[in-house]
C-alpha cells in the first residue's frame, strides 16, 4: 500500500526522473511518479511521490534533493 504526496521544489531538479527511488534515512520507501512545472507559479516544480504507507512521514518531514557519490545521481 502506498500514499501519494505532492511536494514543491524551488531549486533545479536536474537529473530527477519518474520511477526513480525515494529514500527516507537512506532506505528506499517509494518512487517518483511525476515531475511538472506548477501552472500557477512557474518558479515551483511539482513532484508527485508514491511512498509506502508504513513510512513515518509527519507534518515536520522535509524532502530534500541529494547527490549520490561521484556519479552525481540526484534523488529525494
Amino acid at each position: 500500500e502506498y500514499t501519494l504526496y505532492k511536494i514543491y521544489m524551488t531549486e533545479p531538479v536536474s537529473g530527477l526522473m519518474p520511477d526513480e527511488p525515494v529514500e527516507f534515512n537512506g532506505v528506499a520507501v517509494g518512487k517518483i511518479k511525476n515531475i511538472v512545472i506548477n501552472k500557477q507559479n512557474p518558479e515551483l516544480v511539482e513532484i508527485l511521490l508514491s511512498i509506502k504507507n508504513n513510512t513515518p512521514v509527519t507534518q515536520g518531514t522535509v524532502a530534500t534533493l541529494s547527490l549520490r557519490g561521484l556519479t552525481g545521481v540526484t534523488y529525494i
Side-chain angles (χ1 to χ4, degrees):
E1 297 280 325
Y2 290 81
T3 300
L4 294 176
Y5 293 92
K6 188 181 289 186
I7 63 172
Y8 298 90
M9 296 280 182
T10 56
E11 59 193 292
V13 295
S14 301
L16 278 185
M17 300 292 289
D19 294 325
E20 289 188 5
V22 174
E23 295 183 2
F24 189 95
N25 289 337
V27 177
V29 295
K31 291 189 175 194
I32 297 170
K33 298 301 278 180
N34 195 24
I35 304 170
V36 297
I37 295 173
N38 182 278
K39 292 177 184 175
Q40 286 78 33
N41 183 353
E43 293 181 14
L44 293 177
V45 177
E46 290 180 17
I47 304 172
L48 186 63
L49 307 176
S50 178
I51 306 294
K52 291 179 185 176
N53 284 344
N54 62 349
T55 305
V57 176
T58 67
Q59 283 188 317
T61 302
V62 177
T64 59
L65 295 179
S66 298
L67 292 176
R68 177 160 306 171
L70 298 174
T71 60
V73 175
T74 307
Y75 69 99
I76 296 178

